[in-house]
Amino acid sequence: MVHTEDVAWEVEFTDEFRGWWDSLSDGEQDDVAVSVRHLMEFGPALGYPHSTKVVTSRYPQMRELRTQSSGRPLPRCTPSTRYAPRFY
């Protein structure tokens, strides 16, 4: 990963994300917060295993944030094909 020392990437939260966030336990929220801090620090350079490319996106650089809690991947944001959170 490339550290972007002079840049803090802006991360926006949506209503959809808020609903997903509210469904998480306190421990899961803590783990997501750590992942988001990594995202703010590294931006699009945040690679695997912290994020993966979204192959089905029309945006070529779209990635999804991967967070584990207690050794397991967190549930998806919605029952649809979208994951939480995505960035590009």
Side-chain angles (χ1 to χ4, degrees):
M1 282 188 290
V2 176
H3 177 68
T4 52
E5 187 174 313
D6 298 330
V7 177
W9 292 89
E10 183 177 336
V11 177
E12 296 180 8
F13 296 96
T14 63
D15 291 338
E16 181 181 32
F17 177 83
R18 170 62 68 189
W20 177 77
W21 173 269
D22 289 343
S23 74
L24 301 175
S25 70
D26 289 343
E28 291 170 333
Q29 288 180 356
D30 290 343
D31 293 331
V32 171
V34 169
S35 292
V36 170
R37 282 194 292 275
H38 285 315
L39 177 59
M40 291 172 71
E41 182 176 350
F42 295 100
L46 183 66
Y48 186 84
H50 304 287
S51 74
T52 55
K53 182 176 181 173
V54 178
V55 192
T56 58
S57 175
R58 64 181 171 175
Y59 302 103
Q61 300 302 317
M62 179 71 74
R63 299 190 62 84
E64 65 184 13
L65 194 60
R66 296 169 43 105
T67 302
Q68 291 203 2
S69 186
S70 300
R72 294 192 213 196
L74 286 179
R76 295 177 181 189
C77 178
T78 66
S80 72
T81 57
R82 287 182 276 166
Y83 298 84
R86 288 182 172 181
F87 59 97
Y88 59 96

